Amino acid sequence: MLETLGEPSYRAGQIMKWIWGRGIDDFSIMTNVTKTLRTRLNQDFRVLRPIIRQTKTSIDGTIKFLLSLSDDRLIESVLIPSGDHYTQCLSTQAGCPLGCRFCSTGRMGFERNLTSGEIAGQILSARAFLDEKKDQLPVNNVVFMGMGEPLLNWVQVEKALKIIRASDALNFSRRKVTLSTVGIKDKLIEFGRSNLALTAISLHAPDQNLRKELMPEAARYELEDLIADLESYPLAPRERITIEYVMLRGINDHIAHARELVRLLSRVKCKINLLKFNPDQKSDLESSGEQTIEAFQNFLRSKGVTVMLRKSMGADIFAACGQLKARLDGH
Ligand code: SF4
């Protein structure tokens, strides 16, 4: 676009650096750009980023944002404090068409895909908020784990990942970026080959029937096919796929399920993240109890599986995907 204005191609990189690297949205401040171009950009363009409409801070330090987009649609993003930095959870769609039973976003239905600018822009919105609060903790990690299924919006998500990774933009290294997906046939391998981020798979069930019950749409990608794709998935040496498994009382938390999980994943280079379920008022599901989770975790360990229990953060502020917006909408 800049070349059509008679500008050299390096200008795009300079402007990227101002907008994404330094969080500047006023073209007048971009001093290494000619005055004529600054005036032209100010006349014809605006830098938009999601606007924070509501924030909630948990007693554990988790900060949840309700953000509005240029068409007033609402999305969520969460900052999770982890030691010396925040990990930010990003949304990729307003709503989600997949309707997983344990997810508030799933109950809202699908509104629209986000653009790459709206996806990566959530980081700029969060950084501006932290700056204003004089909060020094940097946002060093991002996870695509908010509202929406990233691989259903792959074209925009790929562009957003490039902005997040580019050294003249947000400049995150690959190991600081994780994309979490239920697995979308063909797109999963395409994402893996892009080499842009680490991979997490929302599995949540060790067999096709149970997965279909919990995640009816996601289960169209048969578990057998998903696992076969994961067995040959492109990974860097020593890299492993993260398998996300939410512990649901009486549903997927028996030792028999753990045994099945070990068998299912025996040929996949992976580690397992067990998650406590953050229930909401509309859900008919409950989180497994402490002892059950411990027994499940111990069984997996005894079989040589690397397993971690992810703490449930921000339960007091409805920090699980879609819960804040769902409360606002009455879902
Ligand atoms: S868990 Fe993810 S894929 Fe499933 S409905 Fe929620 S946002 Fe969509």
Side-chain angles (χ1 to χ4, degrees), residues 209-222:
N209 285 342
L210 182 54
R211 198 159 192 259
K212 205 168 166 187
E213 231 176 82
L214 292 172
M215 311 163 75
E217 291 301 321
R220 286 172 189 268
Y221 189 2
E222 293 267 339

Side-chain angles (χ1 to χ4, degrees), residues 96 98-100 102-103 105-106 146-149 182 321:
C96 179
L98 293 188
C100 302
F102 45 80
C103 171
T105 304
M147 298 170 82
E149 163 49 53
V182 298
C321 163

Side-chain angles (χ1 to χ4, degrees), residues 287-319:
S287 181
S288 308
E290 300 285 339
Q291 283 182 352
T292 308
I293 296 176
E294 207 182 311
F296 199 93
Q297 190 177 12
N298 288 341
F299 181 86
L300 294 176
R301 283 222 175 100
S302 74
K303 299 295 173 192
V305 176
T306 306
V307 54
M308 276 169 305
L309 175 62
R310 212 170 66 203
K311 278 193 291 177
S312 165
M313 301 291 279
D316 56 326
I317 55 159
F318 314 104

Side-chain angles (χ1 to χ4, degrees), residues 35 57 77 105 107 159 163 194 224 253 285-286 295 313:
K35 194 150 184 266
T57 304
S77 184
T105 304
R107 275 196 292 278
K159 286 186 192 163
I163 295 170
S194 78
E224 209 178 290
D253 62 354
L285 300 166
E286 290 174 55
M313 301 291 279

Side-chain angles (χ1 to χ4, degrees), residues 75-316:
I75 56 159
E76 297 180 357
S77 184
V78 183
L79 286 176
I80 303 151
S82 7
D84 60 355
H85 67 273
Y86 283 111
T87 295
Q88 184 169 8
C89 183
L90 303 177
S91 291
T92 54
Q93 298 182 309
C96 179
L98 293 188
C100 302
R101 257 181 73 197
F102 45 80
C103 171
S104 305
T105 304
R107 275 196 292 278
M108 284 170 205
F110 176 65
E111 295 180 7
R112 73 164 169 87
N113 282 329
L114 303 195
T115 64
S116 55
E118 289 168 338
I119 298 167
Q122 293 164 57
I123 301 172
L124 295 183
S125 305
R127 283 185 170 166
F129 171 86
L130 294 174
D131 275 354
E132 204 177 300
K133 296 276 169 218
K134 310 242 178 307
D135 186 333
Q136 308 278 326
L137 223 55
V139 179
N140 276 357
N141 282 57
V142 289
V143 291
F144 285 69
M145 228 176 251
M147 298 170 82
E149 163 49 53
L151 297 188
L152 288 181
N153 184 17
W154 173 237
V155 172
Q156 294 301 318
V157 166
E158 184 180 24
K159 286 186 192 163
L161 280 168
K162 286 180 177 165
I163 295 170
I164 289 169
R165 294 285 317 283
S167 57
D168 56 4
L170 290 166
N171 198 21
F172 284 72
S173 70
R174 180 172 177 273
R175 63 194 174 85
K176 303 281 186 187
V177 186
T178 302
L179 182 144
S180 173
T181 174
V182 298
I184 302 295
K185 205 164 175 48
D186 302 327
K187 293 288 170 215
L188 177 63
I189 297 293
E190 203 179 326
F191 158 62
R193 290 200 183 118
S194 78
N195 204 31
L196 285 165
L198 304 178
T199 304
I201 302 289
S202 294
L203 192 70
H204 310 310
D207 66 72
Q208 173 65 14
N209 285 342
L210 182 54
R211 198 159 192 259
K212 205 168 166 187
E213 231 176 82
L214 292 172
M215 311 163 75
E217 291 301 321
R220 286 172 189 268
Y221 189 2
E222 293 267 339
L223 196 52
E224 209 178 290
D225 297 337
L226 171 61
I227 297 299
D229 282 345
L230 293 180
E231 282 175 16
S232 58
Y233 198 72
L235 293 171
R238 298 220 300 276
E239 184 182 333
R240 283 185 285 178
I241 297 164
T242 301
I243 302 290
E244 310 274 1
Y245 194 96
V246 65
M247 296 292 292
L248 300 168
R249 186 190 295 269
I251 305 276
N252 65 356
D253 62 354
H254 297 155
I255 292 301
H257 294 122
R259 188 172 292 119
E260 193 57 21
L261 200 56
V262 173
R263 193 198 58 76
L264 184 75
L265 297 172
S266 61
R267 291 204 303 277
V268 178
K269 280 168 79 184
C270 65
K271 56 185 178 193
I272 299 179
N273 258 1
L274 298 179
L275 319 172
K276 282 189 183 170
F277 179 56
N278 253 347
D280 65 48
Q281 290 153 332
K282 292 280 161 69
S283 175
D284 55 346
L285 300 166
E286 290 174 55
S287 181
S288 308
E290 300 285 339
Q291 283 182 352
T292 308
I293 296 176
E294 207 182 311
F296 199 93
Q297 190 177 12
N298 288 341
F299 181 86
L300 294 176
R301 283 222 175 100
S302 74
K303 299 295 173 192
V305 176
T306 306
V307 54
M308 276 169 305
L309 175 62
R310 212 170 66 203
K311 278 193 291 177
S312 165
M313 301 291 279
D316 56 326

